[in-house]
Amino acid sequence: MLTDIEISRQSKHRPISQIAEKFGIAPSELSPFGDTKAKVNLSILDRVEDNLDGKLVVVTAVTPTPFGEGKTVTSIGLTQGLNAIGKKTCACIRQPSMGPVFGIKGGAAGGGYSQVVPMEELNLHLTGDIHAVSSAHNLAAAAIDARLFHESRMTADEFREQSGQDPLDIDPQQILWRRVVDHNERSLRNITVGLGANNGPVHDSGFDITAASELMAILALSLDLKDMRKRIGQLVLALDTRGSAITAEQLGVAGAMTVIMTDAIEPTLMQTLTGDPCLIHAGPFANIAHGNSSIIADRIALKLADFVVTEGGFGSDMGFEKFCNIKARVSGKAPDAAVVVVTLKALKANSGIDSQRDINQPDMTRLQAGFANLKWHIDNVSQYGAPVVVAINRFPTDTDEELAWLKAQVAQTQAFGCEVCDGFAQGAKGAEALARTVVTATEQESDFSFLYRLDSDIESKLLTIAEAGYGAKGVSLSNDARRQLQEIKSMGLDKLALCVAKTPLSISHEPKVKGVPTGFELPVTQLKVNAGAGFITALVGKVMTMPGLGIKPGYLNVDINEDDEIVGLA
């Protein structure tokens, strides 16, 4: 079979203006970037405001392996399949980070005959949104350090006279705003800022990957440009020497940050291999961020399509939980159905059985043991009230016996239905059965509910997510987390939603613990307020907000061939 990039390159890409016209986007609402992608102006929301909303389908998954289980393949295949059976459908997915692209996982365009094209354009820069987030974020970091420098070298009266501003009295040890870069760079996780003459005061800082920036969450959760401007103004950048919050508005940098992101707030229109519309917006990483595409992209798509297919990162304990408890609270739109993606190899890997046998080979013992992980995810999604459809993402090594066994087991769960999806190998045709089942699932009555109430205290919300969301027996807070909890309460920000940052490789906080862990205590190491995004991030276990490159990184395969074409992207 051809590689993903070969399939993408050999396909016939329609002009993006044609994709837009067929989907219902006017030429005046489109800003093309070449022939294959375009920004969609937010003025479209006023024009389509009175249109009825389509159905929203959220794709999630079982606990994944490090290489991913095909959520995007399934999302794009389902989009193609729905269009093939006559349902006007748009996909809404996130922009890939170049960290995974050049690290281990590769790109995020889908794969095989269920992908967004041109895949190299999606995976490399796209229309620059992630770079805009990086630039705006790092402007705030530069601004807070510059303000600290100037205030530290003169009296308060001198500062007022020369700057025309009141001193902020920044505590150098309470600067909360780190820097970001869109690469895996472990050496920058912890740095010291201000070394050398006339560069201080010296203080500790560090870098996160851009997708983990609060600005990325704001981009995903904003309703329009004015809402984004307001949220950016609410960013808590540091504390003063009295322990009070210093915001981007107080620093005077919020307006400039918004200006940098004025183009980024517009989603990018691309197409699938079969010419179906796909809106790309916001960033990845549901383990260290909220991991969902934007509300704006969903709103546009829902007003123009019968069905909108979106996805939450990693397993249902990660992106789907955050879709329901963070994104749906802001958008007001609950999922009409959820698709849980599973592969035979994922269940074998989650069996907890140590074996030298390749997980791609038949192994009923491990498959049967690993089924408990799938059932847990079905039950987890079901507690939110959305009908659940299981999609078995087929691999060439899967046997008919294993597939039949798995479908029979799913039939005994709460799942509404289960279909084998051959979108990777067959494109739309291979996803038509899944599409029909999903359509029927969305016609069922649903009773959506949140996992917790916003007006409950932080400890209660943490306990609810730990127990109902992960199956833990309780929560423990480090000394740092307890101190940060008191600071958050003193700022009056304790009624925000929660965004838990933990490993995606286990339902628990321990990546090596597979299957369905029980009886564990969830260790919260840090609490970080994200007032602009509207949530509090709880760091759990040894999670890192800046990934590192492995010993055999993906960039080793990427180059230019003799025809000046990109090769090696996955």
Side-chain angles (χ1 to χ4, degrees), residues 320 376-388 414-416 447:
F320 184 79
W376 185 93
H377 284 282
I378 293 170
D379 293 343
N380 183 49
V381 174
S382 296
Q383 71 179 321
Y384 292 94
V388 180
Q414 297 184 71
F416 174 81
D447 185 22

Side-chain angles (χ1 to χ4, degrees), residues 322-335 448 450:
K322 294 168 186 177
F323 178 96
C324 294
N325 291 310
I326 297 175
K327 183 178 177 181
R329 288 185 195 272
V330 181
S331 70
K333 178 62 177 177
F448 179 79
F450 300 114

Side-chain angles (χ1 to χ4, degrees), residues 520-540:
F520 63 95
E521 195 172 62
L522 198 70
V524 178
T525 58
Q526 292 185 56
L527 291 171
K528 179 185 176 185
V529 65
N530 300 110
F535 57 72
I536 295 162
T537 297
L539 276 69
V540 171

Side-chain angles (χ1 to χ4, degrees), residues 121-234:
E121 292 186 20
L122 174 61
N123 288 318
L124 300 173
H125 307 293
L126 195 61
T127 49
D129 292 356
I130 290 182
H131 298 301
V133 171
S134 296
S135 182
H137 182 112
N138 291 334
L139 174 62
I144 196 78
D145 279 333
R147 186 65 168 265
L148 178 64
F149 169 75
H150 290 299
E151 287 190 23
S152 67
R153 66 187 179 88
M154 60 184 70
T155 67
D157 289 340
E158 288 172 335
F159 181 80
R160 287 190 185 93
E161 182 179 351
Q162 293 189 34
S163 70
Q165 305 170 87
D166 289 328
L168 293 175
D169 197 19
I170 302 163
D171 182 347
Q173 306 310 315
Q174 289 288 350
I175 294 179
L176 309 176
W177 196 253
R178 292 154 56 94
R179 288 161 173 80
V180 296
V181 65
D182 189 35
H183 280 293
N184 293 359
E185 180 56 286
R186 65 169 54 81
S187 61
L188 294 177
R189 285 172 180 162
N190 297 288
I191 64 171
T192 300
V193 175
L195 294 173
N198 299 318
N199 296 326
V202 175
H203 62 91
D204 292 333
S205 187
F207 276 78
D208 299 322
I209 197 161
T210 301
S213 167
E214 185 176 353
L215 282 181
M216 185 64 82
I218 286 175
L219 179 65
L221 298 172
S222 293
L223 302 178
D224 52 34
L225 186 60
K226 287 184 175 61
D227 186 35
M228 185 171 76
R229 171 62 180 83
K230 177 183 176 182
R231 288 171 174 270
I232 290 176
Q234 294 170 340

Side-chain angles (χ1 to χ4, degrees), residues 409-471:
Q409 294 302 304
V410 172
Q412 300 176 43
T413 70
Q414 297 184 71
F416 174 81
C418 177
E419 300 291 347
V420 175
C421 184
D422 261 326
F424 183 90
Q426 299 181 24
K429 182 180 178 182
E432 285 186 9
L434 175 63
R436 292 191 178 92
T437 300
V438 167
V439 169
T440 307
T442 64
E443 295 168 352
Q444 311 307 303
E445 289 188 13
S446 62
D447 185 22
F448 179 79
S449 61
F450 300 114
L451 203 60
Y452 55 81
R453 292 174 46 161
L454 281 185
D455 58 4
S456 59
D457 58 42
I458 296 176
E459 299 97 317
S460 296
K461 285 180 279 199
L462 279 169
L463 188 61
T464 299
I465 289 182
E467 294 181 344
Y470 307 143

Side-chain angles (χ1 to χ4, degrees), residues 52-129:
L52 295 176
D53 282 350
K55 301 281 191 177
L56 182 61
V57 179
V58 181
V59 178
T60 183
V62 296
T63 304
T65 68
F67 295 95
E69 301 314 310
K71 275 198 315 299
T72 307
V73 169
T74 304
S75 296
I76 301 305
L78 176 58
T79 299
Q80 295 176 155
L82 285 164
N83 277 294
I85 64 172
K87 305 296 183 182
K88 186 180 180 183
T89 305
C90 178
C92 290
I93 63 173
R94 300 156 293 159
Q95 180 180 345
S97 161
M98 286 198 290
V101 167
F102 293 119
I104 184 172
K105 187 173 180 291
Y113 291 92
S114 292
Q115 59 173 304
V116 179
V117 293
M119 66 90 80
E120 61 268 41
E121 292 186 20
L122 174 61
N123 288 318
L124 300 173
H125 307 293
L126 195 61
T127 49
D129 292 356

